[in-house]
Amino acid sequence: MSVDGRRISGRLLREMIVIFAVACALGAAINLLHPRGFILVNRSTVEERSIVPISVDEARIKRDAGSAVFVDARDRAEYGFSRIPGAVSVPLLDLDRPTDGAPDLSFLDRPVEVVIYCESAACGAARDLAVRIRERGYERALYIMEKGFTEWESKGFPVERGE
Amino acid sequence: MGGESGIRRAMVSMLYGNWFTTAVRLMLGGMMLFAGLVKLADPSLFGMAVERYELLPAILVPYAATIIPALECLIGISLVAGFRVRASAASAFVLMVLFIVAVSVNLALGRQIDCGCFQPAVTGLGFSETLGPWTLVRNLLFLAGFALIFRADRHLLSIENAIEKTRLKNLEKSKYE
C-alpha cells in the first residue's frame, strides 16, 4: 500500500506540475494577445524608469521655478571653468573616495527635484551618477538633462564662470 | 443509534464520492472557471488587485497576474469536466492556501483593501468586496470543499468516471488481447 501510495502521490505531483506549466503557457499566451495585457520587462528597465531624461528647456523651467537643484557630474576642472549657476559639483570619479574630498550629497535629503547634467549628449557621466544615487536608496525621480551643458550654453541660458 | 449509523453511512459515502461531492465539484469548478474568466477579461485590473495586497515585489506582480487567472480557468475546466480531478483539486487547494495567507496577512495588518476575488467591475454586478472576516471564512469553506473533492475516489458525471466504466466493461475483452 505504501509503495502504491507513493507511486500515486508521485503521479499526483507530476500532474500538478503539468497543470501549473500549462497555466503558465496559457497565461503568457493570453497576456501576449490581450489588448490590456502586461508588458513583461526585466528588472533594470523598471528601475531605470525613475531616471527621466528631460530637455534643456524643461531643465530651464525647473530652474526658474526654483524647484530643482542642479548637479554637475563633470570633473572639478570643468566645473571650475563654467557651470550652471548654483549647481552642486558631484564628480563621478570622486564618489568612491572614502572621506576626504567625497562630494556632499546632503541635497538629496532636501525637498527638491534633482537635475543631473554633464558635458554633452554623448557623455555618460550624468546617467552613471543617477544610477549610483539610485543605488544609495534614493527613491524619487532623477532628471537628466539630455543634451548636457553644451546645449544649455548654446541656448544662451545663464552660465557662471571662474572659481 | 439508527440515526448515528445513518450519519456514518452518509460520511462513508461522501468520502467515497456521491452526488453531494459531485455537486460540490461542479459548483467549485464553475466558481473557479468564473473567477478565472473575469480576471482574464482585464489582466491590468487584476494586476492592480495583486498590487493592493502588497505581498509580491512589483516586478513579480505582472507574472502572478497572468498565471493565476489561467490556472483558475484550467482548474475550473478540469473540475467541471471531471478530468484529472485529484491533481486539479490539489492545485486548487494550494492556490486557496496562498489566497488565505494573503488575506490573513492583510487582515492582520488591518488594511481595508478591495478583495479582487471576482472582479465586480468587469461583470458589472455593481458590488465591491472589501476584505473582511467573511472573505476568510468563504476561502476556508472553499478549502474544505477542495479537500473533500481530493479525498473522493469516485466522481459522478465525469470523464474519469466514464473512462473507468468503459474500462471495467471491457475488462474481459482486454484480458485476452
Side-chain angles (χ1 to χ4, degrees):
Chain A
M1 182 60 204
S2 74
V3 175
D4 197 37
R6 203 172 300 147
R7 190 177 62 84
I8 286 173
S9 77
R11 205 185 84 182
L12 182 74
L13 205 65
R14 255 204 318 279
E15 285 180 2
M16 283 170 73
I17 291 170
V18 168
I19 288 176
F20 185 73
V22 173
C24 287
L26 195 69
I30 291 171
N31 185 60
L32 203 64
L33 300 172
H34 199 287
R36 283 191 296 280
F38 293 98
I39 300 169
L40 301 174
V41 293
N42 56 2
R43 179 185 287 272
S44 60
T45 315
V46 176
E47 279 179 356
E48 288 202 358
R49 226 183 318 182
S50 63
I51 298 175
V52 187
I54 58 173
S55 70
V56 171
D57 298 284
E58 287 167 312
R60 174 76 197 268
I61 293 168
K62 285 187 191 300
R63 184 177 179 276
D64 291 349
S67 63
V69 59
F70 280 73
V71 177
D72 194 317
R74 301 173 300 169
D75 61 45
R76 288 210 188 276
E78 285 173 302
Y79 175 84
F81 181 69
S82 59
R83 63 202 159 264
I84 295 175
V88 183
S89 176
V90 183
L92 190 64
L93 295 173
D94 289 359
L95 215 57
D96 291 321
R97 288 195 186 174
T99 43
D100 59 319
D104 179 24
L105 291 174
S106 60
F107 60 87
L108 292 177
D109 300 322
R110 300 215 319 262
V112 286
E113 293 178 316
V114 176
V115 180
I116 307 173
Y117 69 90
C118 51
E119 187 63 24
S120 65
C123 69
R127 179 163 286 275
D128 290 347
L129 182 61
V131 170
R132 295 290 299 275
I133 290 175
R134 264 202 56 90
E135 283 169 359
R136 292 179 177 226
Y138 188 79
E139 285 181 345
R140 281 175 283 160
L142 290 161
Y143 298 94
I144 294 174
M145 214 166 80
E146 238 183 349
K147 288 184 179 165
F149 184 72
T150 319
E151 175 84 357
W152 177 279
E153 203 174 15
S154 72
K155 286 222 169 191
F157 293 166
V159 170
E160 196 177 39
R161 284 177 204 284
E163 290 299 321
Chain B
M1 197 169 149
E4 201 186 290
S5 73
I7 289 170
R8 216 174 138 188
R9 231 184 301 136
M11 287 287 289
V12 169
S13 132
M14 208 156 81
L15 288 182
Y16 178 58
N18 57 8
W19 284 106
F20 179 72
T21 54
T22 302
V24 169
R25 195 192 87 226
L26 292 177
M27 274 194 306
L28 285 185
M31 185 275 291
M32 284 298 254
L33 187 57
F34 173 74
L37 283 178
V38 291
K39 279 168 199 156
L40 278 185
D42 196 340
S44 62
L45 210 62
F46 181 58
M48 281 189 265
V50 176
E51 226 163 27
R52 278 201 297 274
Y53 281 82
E54 290 181 19
L55 291 174
L56 281 182
I59 189 88
L60 288 182
V61 166
Y63 294 91
T66 49
I67 293 170
I68 289 173
L71 192 58
E72 282 182 330
C73 280
L74 214 61
I75 289 170
I77 289 170
S78 58
L79 281 182
V80 170
F83 184 68
R84 299 281 185 261
V85 173
R86 267 171 78 83
S88 38
S91 306
F93 191 89
V94 173
L95 196 62
M96 219 32 93
V97 168
L98 290 180
F99 288 167
I100 286 171
V101 169
V103 170
S104 311
V105 168
N106 276 280
L107 276 182
L109 293 173
R111 287 216 194 95
Q112 297 271 329
I113 59 171
D114 191 66
C115 168
C117 305
F118 293 103
Q119 299 294 336
V122 174
T123 46
L125 291 178
F127 71 93
S128 71
E129 197 197 344
T130 310
L131 225 58
W134 159 238
T135 321
L136 200 60
V137 171
R138 190 188 59 197
N139 279 351
L140 286 170
L141 279 177
F142 289 162
L143 195 70
F146 288 124
L148 187 71
I149 297 167
F150 179 75
R151 179 65 186 75
D153 295 313
R154 182 183 61 161
H155 305 285
L156 301 165
L157 294 180
S158 71
I159 294 177
E160 273 179 9
N161 204 31
I163 290 173
E164 185 68 7
K165 262 192 207 159
T166 320
R167 191 181 73 84
L168 289 175
K169 217 176 271 175
N170 297 311
L171 212 52
E172 282 299 303
K173 221 189 283 173
S174 59
K175 203 185 273 179
Y176 300 108
E177 263 166 18

